[in-house]
Amino acid sequence: MNDFSYLKAVDLQEASTKLSEDRSNKIIAGGTNIVDLMKYFITESETLIDINAIQDLKQIKTLKSGNLMLGALMTNAETAYHPEIEKKYPLLSQAILAGASAQIRNMATNGGNLLQKTRCYYYYDPHVPCNKRIPGSGCPAKTGYNRMHAILGHSENCIAVFPSDMCVALAALNATVHIESLQGQRSLLFTDFHKLPGDTPQIDHDLQQGEIITGIELPNEDFSENYSYLKIRERSSYAFALISVATAFKLENSIISDARIALGGVAHKPWRNLEAEDYLKGKACTEEHFSKAADIILADAKAFEYNEFKIKLAKKAIVRNCKMALDISSHRTGAKPSL
């Protein structure tokens, strides 16, 4: 780990000012990812800016619009167990609790969850090339061991996946990210916040130098009756997803009036396909329709030597999770519906 200075910011203005001074300056809140990256010499920082003293970012509040604002410094655990989240956005609670460990969720913050880095093993090894660490150096994952890597949205420069569970649910729920800097405030649709690798795999998101995430806004919509988060992983505890699926339906007389499906573990960002969601609207809840929606989502999927299984696994996971969303007792009790 490199030597660094430490600043405990008293407000957003001080934090943003210091953040703007040097590109290597970084925010620390829970520290569950940035500290690891520094220990592994993947990233360096001239100054770590601690924003935990900014109390305005440590609350969940209902806005005049009826939307819910999640403070960026609320921990993942506080968010998952918050009464309003459990009541109105249980999909989000379920996704958060599927991620990491209880100890990490007690430290990790909402804002930090959005900014975490890929867990690609090549990215974490400073002794091998990686276009995310050193643009232009190459992507050994393409011809190396790529079992965990992307099947959608990848490029010649990067096939890494985004690791968050929480963000998959936020994408499905049409969340909005609120951002602040010395230049003022702005908001961004959650689905536009993270970027695909393209020619710039080192750029994970749309946050600019000096900007800080202040909150995440959830629309005043009710998907509390038919929802499910399914995470398929190598082991049942503390593992990142091979495939994850966040599904939410609104039903009217067993007909789908609104559908949301987002995938994790498949791309450089949480993956949604609006064409598939539109296809399901007005349809009956049948395996045939769920299978067709899965085909639409995965139409452009491209696998590599060791992750071809993920395409078939993703289709089965989508269909299974759509079924689970029809009966929330099936995943609240741990029952496993058959395909």
Side-chain angles (χ1 to χ4, degrees), residues 142-157:
K142 289 191 300 180
T143 55
Y145 188 62
N146 40 44
R147 177 177 173 81
M148 296 292 293
H149 289 72
I151 56 173
L152 289 165
H154 46 65
S155 74
E156 286 298 311
N157 297 295

PDB file of all heavy atoms in Angstrom, residues 142-157:
ATOM      1  N   LYS A 142      -9.579 -12.864 -22.245  1.00  0.00           N
ATOM      2  CA  LYS A 142     -10.225 -13.345 -23.475  1.00  0.00           C
ATOM      3  C   LYS A 142      -9.733 -14.732 -23.868  1.00  0.00           C
ATOM      4  O   LYS A 142     -10.507 -15.558 -24.361  1.00  0.00           O
ATOM      5  CB  LYS A 142      -9.984 -12.354 -24.621  1.00  0.00           C
ATOM      6  CG  LYS A 142     -10.735 -11.050 -24.476  1.00  0.00           C
ATOM      7  CD  LYS A 142     -10.677 -10.232 -25.760  1.00  0.00           C
ATOM      8  CE  LYS A 142      -9.245  -9.905 -26.142  1.00  0.00           C
ATOM      9  NZ  LYS A 142      -9.182  -9.113 -27.390  1.00  0.00           N
ATOM     10  N   THR A 143      -8.449 -14.984 -23.654  1.00  0.00           N
ATOM     11  CA  THR A 143      -7.889 -16.289 -24.011  1.00  0.00           C
ATOM     12  C   THR A 143      -7.473 -17.075 -22.776  1.00  0.00           C
ATOM     13  O   THR A 143      -6.951 -18.184 -22.907  1.00  0.00           O
ATOM     14  CB  THR A 143      -6.666 -16.112 -24.937  1.00  0.00           C
ATOM     15  OG1 THR A 143      -5.715 -15.236 -24.305  1.00  0.00           O
ATOM     16  CG2 THR A 143      -7.091 -15.506 -26.266  1.00  0.00           C
ATOM     17  N   GLY A 144      -7.688 -16.520 -21.604  1.00  0.00           N
ATOM     18  CA  GLY A 144      -7.315 -17.180 -20.365  1.00  0.00           C
ATOM     19  C   GLY A 144      -8.508 -17.869 -19.723  1.00  0.00           C
ATOM     20  O   GLY A 144      -9.469 -18.257 -20.395  1.00  0.00           O
ATOM     21  N   TYR A 145      -8.452 -18.005 -18.406  1.00  0.00           N
ATOM     22  CA  TYR A 145      -9.531 -18.656 -17.670  1.00  0.00           C
ATOM     23  C   TYR A 145     -10.637 -17.637 -17.451  1.00  0.00           C
ATOM     24  O   TYR A 145     -10.497 -16.708 -16.655  1.00  0.00           O
ATOM     25  CB  TYR A 145      -9.010 -19.186 -16.333  1.00  0.00           C
ATOM     26  CG  TYR A 145     -10.036 -20.033 -15.606  1.00  0.00           C
ATOM     27  CD1 TYR A 145     -10.517 -21.217 -16.176  1.00  0.00           C
ATOM     28  CD2 TYR A 145     -10.526 -19.654 -14.372  1.00  0.00           C
ATOM     29  CE1 TYR A 145     -11.452 -22.001 -15.530  1.00  0.00           C
ATOM     30  CE2 TYR A 145     -11.466 -20.433 -13.705  1.00  0.00           C
ATOM     31  CZ  TYR A 145     -11.926 -21.598 -14.280  1.00  0.00           C
ATOM     32  OH  TYR A 145     -12.865 -22.362 -13.649  1.00  0.00           O
ATOM     33  N   ASN A 146     -11.750 -17.782 -18.171  1.00  0.00           N
ATOM     34  CA  ASN A 146     -12.781 -16.745 -18.207  1.00  0.00           C
ATOM     35  C   ASN A 146     -14.146 -17.264 -17.761  1.00  0.00           C
ATOM     36  O   ASN A 146     -15.182 -16.818 -18.253  1.00  0.00           O
ATOM     37  CB  ASN A 146     -12.883 -16.144 -19.618  1.00  0.00           C
ATOM     38  CG  ASN A 146     -12.750 -17.198 -20.715  1.00  0.00           C
ATOM     39  OD1 ASN A 146     -13.343 -18.276 -20.628  1.00  0.00           O
ATOM     40  ND2 ASN A 146     -11.969 -16.884 -21.731  1.00  0.00           N
ATOM     41  N   ARG A 147     -14.163 -18.189 -16.819  1.00  0.00           N
ATOM     42  CA  ARG A 147     -15.401 -18.791 -16.337  1.00  0.00           C
ATOM     43  C   ARG A 147     -16.370 -17.755 -15.777  1.00  0.00           C
ATOM     44  O   ARG A 147     -17.590 -17.852 -15.964  1.00  0.00           O
ATOM     45  CB  ARG A 147     -15.080 -19.829 -15.260  1.00  0.00           C
ATOM     46  CG  ARG A 147     -16.292 -20.481 -14.610  1.00  0.00           C
ATOM     47  CD  ARG A 147     -15.866 -21.542 -13.599  1.00  0.00           C
ATOM     48  NE  ARG A 147     -16.983 -22.060 -12.838  1.00  0.00           N
ATOM     49  CZ  ARG A 147     -17.819 -22.996 -13.252  1.00  0.00           C
ATOM     50  NH1 ARG A 147     -17.653 -23.521 -14.456  1.00  0.00           N
ATOM     51  NH2 ARG A 147     -18.818 -23.419 -12.501  1.00  0.00           N
ATOM     52  N   MET A 148     -15.865 -16.735 -15.084  1.00  0.00           N
ATOM     53  CA  MET A 148     -16.712 -15.748 -14.419  1.00  0.00           C
ATOM     54  C   MET A 148     -17.062 -14.558 -15.306  1.00  0.00           C
ATOM     55  O   MET A 148     -17.762 -13.655 -14.870  1.00  0.00           O
ATOM     56  CB  MET A 148     -16.008 -15.224 -13.156  1.00  0.00           C
ATOM     57  CG  MET A 148     -15.770 -16.258 -12.079  1.00  0.00           C
ATOM     58  SD  MET A 148     -17.284 -16.843 -11.303  1.00  0.00           S
ATOM     59  CE  MET A 148     -17.822 -15.352 -10.459  1.00  0.00           C
ATOM     60  N   HIS A 149     -16.619 -14.537 -16.544  1.00  0.00           N
ATOM     61  CA  HIS A 149     -16.627 -13.309 -17.324  1.00  0.00           C
ATOM     62  C   HIS A 149     -17.905 -13.101 -18.144  1.00  0.00           C
ATOM     63  O   HIS A 149     -18.837 -13.890 -18.117  1.00  0.00           O
ATOM     64  CB  HIS A 149     -15.374 -13.259 -18.191  1.00  0.00           C
ATOM     65  CG  HIS A 149     -14.128 -13.014 -17.382  1.00  0.00           C
ATOM     66  ND1 HIS A 149     -13.580 -13.968 -16.559  1.00  0.00           N
ATOM     67  CD2 HIS A 149     -13.351 -11.897 -17.240  1.00  0.00           C
ATOM     68  CE1 HIS A 149     -12.516 -13.466 -15.948  1.00  0.00           C
ATOM     69  NE2 HIS A 149     -12.360 -12.224 -16.348  1.00  0.00           N
ATOM     70  N   ALA A 150     -17.922 -11.979 -18.871  1.00  0.00           N
ATOM     71  CA  ALA A 150     -19.132 -11.466 -19.510  1.00  0.00           C
ATOM     72  C   ALA A 150     -19.559 -12.308 -20.711  1.00  0.00           C
ATOM     73  O   ALA A 150     -18.731 -12.870 -21.431  1.00  0.00           O
ATOM     74  CB  ALA A 150     -18.920 -10.019 -19.938  1.00  0.00           C
ATOM     75  N   ILE A 151     -20.875 -12.329 -20.911  1.00  0.00           N
ATOM     76  CA  ILE A 151     -21.445 -12.921 -22.128  1.00  0.00           C
ATOM     77  C   ILE A 151     -22.253 -11.880 -22.906  1.00  0.00           C
ATOM     78  O   ILE A 151     -22.707 -12.148 -24.018  1.00  0.00           O
ATOM     79  CB  ILE A 151     -22.337 -14.139 -21.809  1.00  0.00           C
ATOM     80  CG1 ILE A 151     -23.446 -13.766 -20.820  1.00  0.00           C
ATOM     81  CG2 ILE A 151     -21.492 -15.291 -21.274  1.00  0.00           C
ATOM     82  CD1 ILE A 151     -24.471 -14.874 -20.570  1.00  0.00           C
ATOM     83  N   LEU A 152     -22.422 -10.703 -22.342  1.00  0.00           N
ATOM     84  CA  LEU A 152     -23.161  -9.617 -22.991  1.00  0.00           C
ATOM     85  C   LEU A 152     -22.399  -8.302 -22.835  1.00  0.00           C
ATOM     86  O   LEU A 152     -21.783  -8.052 -21.802  1.00  0.00           O
ATOM     87  CB  LEU A 152     -24.552  -9.461 -22.367  1.00  0.00           C
ATOM     88  CG  LEU A 152     -25.579 -10.564 -22.658  1.00  0.00           C
ATOM     89  CD1 LEU A 152     -26.751 -10.468 -21.685  1.00  0.00           C
ATOM     90  CD2 LEU A 152     -26.064 -10.476 -24.097  1.00  0.00           C
ATOM     91  N   GLY A 153     -22.456  -7.465 -23.872  1.00  0.00           N
ATOM     92  CA  GLY A 153     -21.936  -6.105 -23.775  1.00  0.00           C
ATOM     93  C   GLY A 153     -20.433  -5.974 -23.692  1.00  0.00           C
ATOM     94  O   GLY A 153     -19.927  -4.879 -23.468  1.00  0.00           O
ATOM     95  N   HIS A 154     -19.696  -7.061 -23.878  1.00  0.00           N
ATOM     96  CA  HIS A 154     -18.234  -6.963 -23.769  1.00  0.00           C
ATOM     97  C   HIS A 154     -17.641  -6.412 -25.066  1.00  0.00           C
ATOM     98  O   HIS A 154     -18.336  -6.263 -26.084  1.00  0.00           O
ATOM     99  CB  HIS A 154     -17.626  -8.319 -23.429  1.00  0.00           C
ATOM    100  CG  HIS A 154     -18.157  -9.467 -24.250  1.00  0.00           C
ATOM    101  ND1 HIS A 154     -17.964  -9.574 -25.603  1.00  0.00           N
ATOM    102  CD2 HIS A 154     -18.892 -10.555 -23.888  1.00  0.00           C
ATOM    103  CE1 HIS A 154     -18.542 -10.690 -26.048  1.00  0.00           C
ATOM    104  NE2 HIS A 154     -19.126 -11.298 -25.031  1.00  0.00           N
ATOM    105  N   SER A 155     -16.350  -6.114 -25.038  1.00  0.00           N
ATOM    106  CA  SER A 155     -15.667  -5.587 -26.216  1.00  0.00           C
ATOM    107  C   SER A 155     -14.331  -6.297 -26.377  1.00  0.00           C
ATOM    108  O   SER A 155     -13.944  -7.131 -25.550  1.00  0.00           O
ATOM    109  CB  SER A 155     -15.438  -4.078 -26.069  1.00  0.00           C
ATOM    110  OG  SER A 155     -14.404  -3.810 -25.134  1.00  0.00           O
ATOM    111  N   GLU A 156     -13.622  -5.959 -27.432  1.00  0.00           N
ATOM    112  CA  GLU A 156     -12.295  -6.532 -27.652  1.00  0.00           C
ATOM    113  C   GLU A 156     -11.336  -6.146 -26.536  1.00  0.00           C
ATOM    114  O   GLU A 156     -10.323  -6.813 -26.316  1.00  0.00           O
ATOM    115  CB  GLU A 156     -11.737  -6.056 -28.999  1.00  0.00           C
ATOM    116  CG  GLU A 156     -12.381  -6.713 -30.193  1.00  0.00           C
ATOM    117  CD  GLU A 156     -12.156  -8.220 -30.205  1.00  0.00           C
ATOM    118  OE1 GLU A 156     -11.012  -8.646 -30.044  1.00  0.00           O
ATOM    119  OE2 GLU A 156     -13.143  -8.962 -30.352  1.00  0.00           O
ATOM    120  N   ASN A 157     -11.671  -5.089 -25.810  1.00  0.00           N
ATOM    121  CA  ASN A 157     -10.758  -4.567 -24.801  1.00  0.00           C
ATOM    122  C   ASN A 157     -11.013  -5.092 -23.392  1.00  0.00           C
ATOM    123  O   ASN A 157     -10.144  -4.981 -22.528  1.00  0.00           O
ATOM    124  CB  ASN A 157     -10.848  -3.039 -24.771  1.00  0.00           C
ATOM    125  CG  ASN A 157     -10.419  -2.422 -26.070  1.00  0.00           C
ATOM    126  OD1 ASN A 157      -9.272  -2.518 -26.462  1.00  0.00           O
ATOM    127  ND2 ASN A 157     -11.362  -1.815 -26.782  1.00  0.00           N
TER     128      ASN A 157
END
